[in-house]
Amino acid sequence: MINVLLIEDQRLFSEGIQAVINREVDLQVTAVATNHKDAIHKINEQHIDVVLIDVHLRHIEGIKMTLGVKERYPAIKVILLTTTVDEDLVINGLNVGADGFLLISLYAENLIRAVRDAYNGQVVLSGDVAKILAKKDLQFNKKQILAQHLEHRNIQFSCREIDIAYLLMEGYSNKVIAQKLYLNVGTIKNYISDIYSELDMRNRVEVIEYLDGLLDRNR
């Protein structure tokens, strides 16, 4: 039997998920929690295999909840549920150890399959979430190529500088870059100033044109 803890503070949605899971012979919602403290208490009291977490909980972010569960109980599988596909939310959720990320709008049979697959060690993703990861993989490859081109010119960027350089090339403002990297705007400005110095350039336009030119050589 796969024992599931559901962390959800919307009663109607909670009851719907319980009904879907509890009709299966090999699955059961063993406990329901509405907040972090209650969830940890339930895990300590009962044997839990899989945790389903609404990423949009009102009193605590689902990402923080995931981190708390995985730090204390790394063997437990955690699947995040979301109403919308947000790139930063997906990446952050997987980075803190989530074993899956699913859209709430998925069919009941897909939820059941995902719980079983996560229990068996697979990463479970809705189609739209998988597309985001494919896009991120492409971005990662571009960053690697950019770093290699710079290194060939004896320019050593740190990993953070590569991240910022790539986002500059994508046309993002300092404020948006700061939000994406969870840094303050002042820190981003300092990094960009360092990038200017390392490239011996004076402004954003020069830097972007130069970096774009490096990647163009690889196309």
Side-chain angles (χ1 to χ4, degrees), residues 81-97:
L81 304 174
T82 181
T83 54
T84 58
V85 178
D86 178 272
E87 180 177 313
D88 290 335
L89 205 58
V90 170
I91 300 304
N92 290 336
L94 296 177
N95 281 343
V96 299

Side-chain angles (χ1 to χ4, degrees), residues 66 70 77-80 90 92-101 123:
T66 301
K70 295 300 282 190
K77 307 302 181 183
V78 176
I79 300 174
L80 289 168
V90 170
N92 290 336
L94 296 177
N95 281 343
V96 299
D99 301 281
F101 214 111
V123 175

